[in-house]
Amino acid sequence: MLNKIPMTTPLVEMDGDEMTRILWQMIKEKLLLPFVDLKTEYYDLGLLHRNETEDRVTVEAAEATRKYGVAVKCATITPNRQRMEEYPQLTQMWKSPNGTIRSILDGTVFRAPILIDSILPVVRNWKKPITIARHAYGDVYKSVDLYTTEPGTATLTFRGVSGQEQTVTVQQVEGPAVWQGAHNKDSSIRSFARACFQYAIDTRQDLWFSTKDTIAKVYDGRFKAIFEEEYQEYQARFEQLGIRYFYTLIDDAVARVIRSEGGFIWACKNYDGDVMSDMVSTAFGSLAMMTSVLVAPDGTTEYEAAHGTVTRHYYRHLKGEQTSTNPMATIFAWSGALRKRGQLDKLSDLERFADQLEQACFDTLHAGLMTKDLAGLVEEGTPVTTLTSADFIDAIAARLKAALTAAHV
Ligand code: NAP
Ligand code: MG
């Protein structure tokens, strides 16, 4: 009999939607509960429960994350018009839970691919992972939009508490037009910069940062200037470690990234990071192999998969089909969170369990057992058995149990 690995402080657990909610349950049941005396504070961020609580549950989950320091989150639906038709009971087109959580916790999202030998990146020269550091606050994600139908002029006014005002004309238009007001804050950009420099030092990788400051001279120019200011404090440590910081325009960065070997952190503004992380993860193999962690300035961390709720698979699941949805990124969200909890609470067994869980995943993949998305990507000649999600998780569980039993003897 294996003794369950103890925990002291609870993890904040945020459940989610559709196929990932199904995987979430399987992962807990087969990979965690048999081995760990799992302590979580559970928040159901499933769309209908968010609706019932008027989205208070999302705010409560974010506040709990701040209290306990570590959270693990399942993918969730961000409702759009189509979802409003699909779920007629929705009283509002609720905002993205990730957006809400990010704006409460602030901080930076780091996304890195999980690499395995048998899957070569589409970009042949990529040898090492590329980590995308996505600024998690503001810009278009916290912007206001307006649609107008008559000729007229839009202005942008800032009213200071002192009573002073600054106004610029956005545009004069002759007909219907769309408008957007976006912002960011020095304090948030500064903590983004610091999180990136610190993460580069922790992982000993170069840091690239890109914006479009030739066009957005004031807006993006502010990002560039703050990064330069903050770098002064880290420069000596960068030089000691032989790593470097460099700034370039986003279009130049895109070209350089494609020509690179990988092995660096690419810091991006909120939208650039959203888009580029999907491109980078797909080129490395699969969205399902991309991990994501939100690091707040106070060290609070929230782990999740970078992909969504895998809707198309969920509809097949509802029809009674067994799907072959890849649980890797969701498993790694759990292992990341458990490892962090272990580090904070000085529970070395819990930390070791996180390593063993990840190793069991790698061993399973190396044995050629994988989900359909990966089976299509492995190098020719690699023997492959395509499994359903349930069978893949069972195969991982068997290896994990064997490793834990061997370590126990
Ligand atoms: P998605 O759920 O990431 O899925 C897009 C496609 O990528 C899938 O149809 C599937 O392709 C493939 N895929 C993604 N993850 C996979 C996995 N684990 N295993 C196998 N294949 C995988 O993106 P989406 O369809 O655009 O969005 C669905 C919902 O997720 C939306 O409601 C959106 O709001 C939400 N979303 C949530 C988050 C989050 O909570 N972090 C992030 C993004 C999107 P095939 O169908 O070709 O197999
Ligand atoms: Mg995205």
Side-chain angles (χ1 to χ4, degrees):
M1 247 294 273
L2 281 168
N3 288 328
K4 286 194 190 182
I5 296 161
M7 285 180 68
T8 47
T9 318
L11 267 183
V12 175
E13 173 186 353
M14 306 183 201
D15 207 344
D17 287 301
E18 300 194 311
M19 203 58 218
T20 40
R21 190 179 178 101
I22 309 287
L23 294 178
W24 195 260
Q25 206 47 50
M26 287 185 197
I27 291 167
K28 281 178 70 178
E29 210 170 282
K30 294 174 174 181
L31 299 178
L32 305 174
L33 292 170
F35 310 112
V36 179
D37 189 15
L38 197 64
K39 280 196 171 56
T40 72
E41 196 165 292
Y42 179 86
Y43 292 87
D44 183 0
L45 266 54
L47 181 58
L48 293 178
H49 192 241
R50 272 180 277 147
N51 187 58
E52 280 159 26
T53 62
E54 301 190 310
D55 212 19
R56 273 192 308 276
V57 65
T58 308
V59 174
E60 284 164 10
E63 281 163 359
T65 303
R66 220 198 246 137
K67 174 173 163 198
Y68 291 113
V70 188
V72 57
K73 180 182 171 291
C74 179
T76 45
I77 292 173
T78 299
N80 53 15
R81 295 213 177 282
Q82 195 193 329
R83 296 291 195 177
M84 298 298 285
E85 283 162 28
E86 189 182 345
Y87 296 92
Q89 60 272 63
L90 294 187
T91 54
Q92 255 191 57
M93 208 192 296
W94 302 107
K95 291 197 162 171
S96 151
N98 285 3
T100 303
I101 295 165
R102 279 171 201 150
S103 68
I104 292 173
L105 296 180
D106 198 350
T108 301
V109 176
F110 294 93
R111 286 186 176 173
I114 304 164
L115 300 191
I116 58 169
D117 293 342
S118 54
I119 298 177
L120 294 184
V122 176
V123 182
R124 274 170 299 155
N125 39 287
W126 285 359
K127 306 267 189 291
K128 300 175 211 159
I130 295 169
T131 302
I132 298 225
R134 172 181 170 190
H135 187 209
Y137 177 85
D139 301 348
V140 71
Y141 301 85
K142 232 180 158 38
S143 66
V144 289
D145 291 17
L146 190 64
Y147 175 59
T148 56
T149 51
E150 61 169 323
T153 304
T155 59
L156 179 65
T157 300
F158 174 79
R159 197 166 299 119
V161 288
S162 68
Q164 280 222 0
E165 284 189 3
Q166 283 170 271
T167 297
V168 289
T169 299
V170 179
Q171 188 66 267
Q172 183 182 354
V173 294
E174 301 73 42
V178 282
W179 310 90
Q180 189 166 66
H183 83 287
N184 222 301
K185 300 193 287 196
D186 267 21
S187 59
S188 177
I189 302 168
R190 208 169 288 285
S191 55
F192 171 46
R194 299 183 73 88
C196 291
F197 289 124
Q198 190 57 50
Y199 198 78
I201 289 169
D202 291 345
T203 60
R204 290 161 193 251
Q205 298 183 87
D206 288 351
L207 176 67
W208 301 15
F209 179 45
S210 57
T211 73
K212 192 73 179 172
D213 71 294
T214 44
I215 301 299
K217 287 190 171 64
V218 173
Y219 200 113
D220 286 11
R222 192 70 199 131
F223 278 79
K224 183 183 177 186
I226 289 177
F227 265 70
E228 260 159 35
E229 278 168 37
E230 289 299 323
Y231 181 54
Q232 303 313 312
E233 208 179 294
Y234 296 89
Q235 190 167 3
R237 269 182 288 166
F238 266 60
E239 281 163 8
Q240 253 170 25
L241 291 172
I243 56 176
R244 69 180 188 132
Y245 165 61
F246 108 99
Y247 174 86
T248 187
L249 285 171
I250 178 88
D251 29 4
D252 179 51
V254 168
R256 284 171 187 261
V257 163
I258 296 296
R259 288 196 307 263
S260 78
E261 268 202 359
F264 55 88
I265 300 158
W266 181 14
C268 292
K269 289 179 60 195
N270 211 346
Y271 175 82
D272 296 341
D274 186 355
V275 175
M276 290 305 160
S277 70
D278 281 6
M279 188 202 65
V280 168
S281 60
T282 305
F284 268 114
S286 163
L287 245 185
M289 297 288 275
M290 192 77 158
T291 62
S292 183
V293 50
L294 173 73
V295 184
D298 65 357
T300 298
T301 34
E302 183 228 303
Y303 295 81
E304 59 171 334
H307 61 77
T309 58
V310 210
T311 310
R312 287 207 283 172
H313 294 211
Y314 181 59
Y315 290 152
R316 294 211 292 270
H317 166 85
L318 289 181
K319 281 193 222 145
E321 271 177 57
Q322 285 271 0
T323 71
S324 185
T325 316
N326 189 338
M328 282 288 289
T330 305
I331 297 172
F332 275 59
W334 275 101
S335 59
L338 291 170
R339 181 183 293 110
K340 184 76 185 180
R341 199 64 271 167
Q343 285 165 356
L344 293 176
D345 296 348
K346 306 206 162 36
L347 299 171
S348 55
D349 283 350
L350 193 60
E351 274 186 70
R352 200 171 317 116
F353 174 77
D355 295 341
Q356 285 163 321
L357 173 55
E358 291 177 2
Q359 192 56 50
C361 292
F362 286 124
D363 291 345
T364 307
L365 292 173
H366 288 150
L369 307 176
M370 52 189 74
T371 47
K372 196 170 153 215
D373 57 315
L374 297 184
L377 296 170
V378 292
E379 285 302 284
E380 234 172 275
T382 315
V384 165
T385 311
T386 306
L387 301 179
T388 61
S389 305
D391 289 346
F392 180 62
I393 291 173
D394 281 337
I396 296 167
R399 281 166 178 77
L400 179 59
K401 189 170 180 199
L404 287 164
T405 311
H408 189 69
V409 171

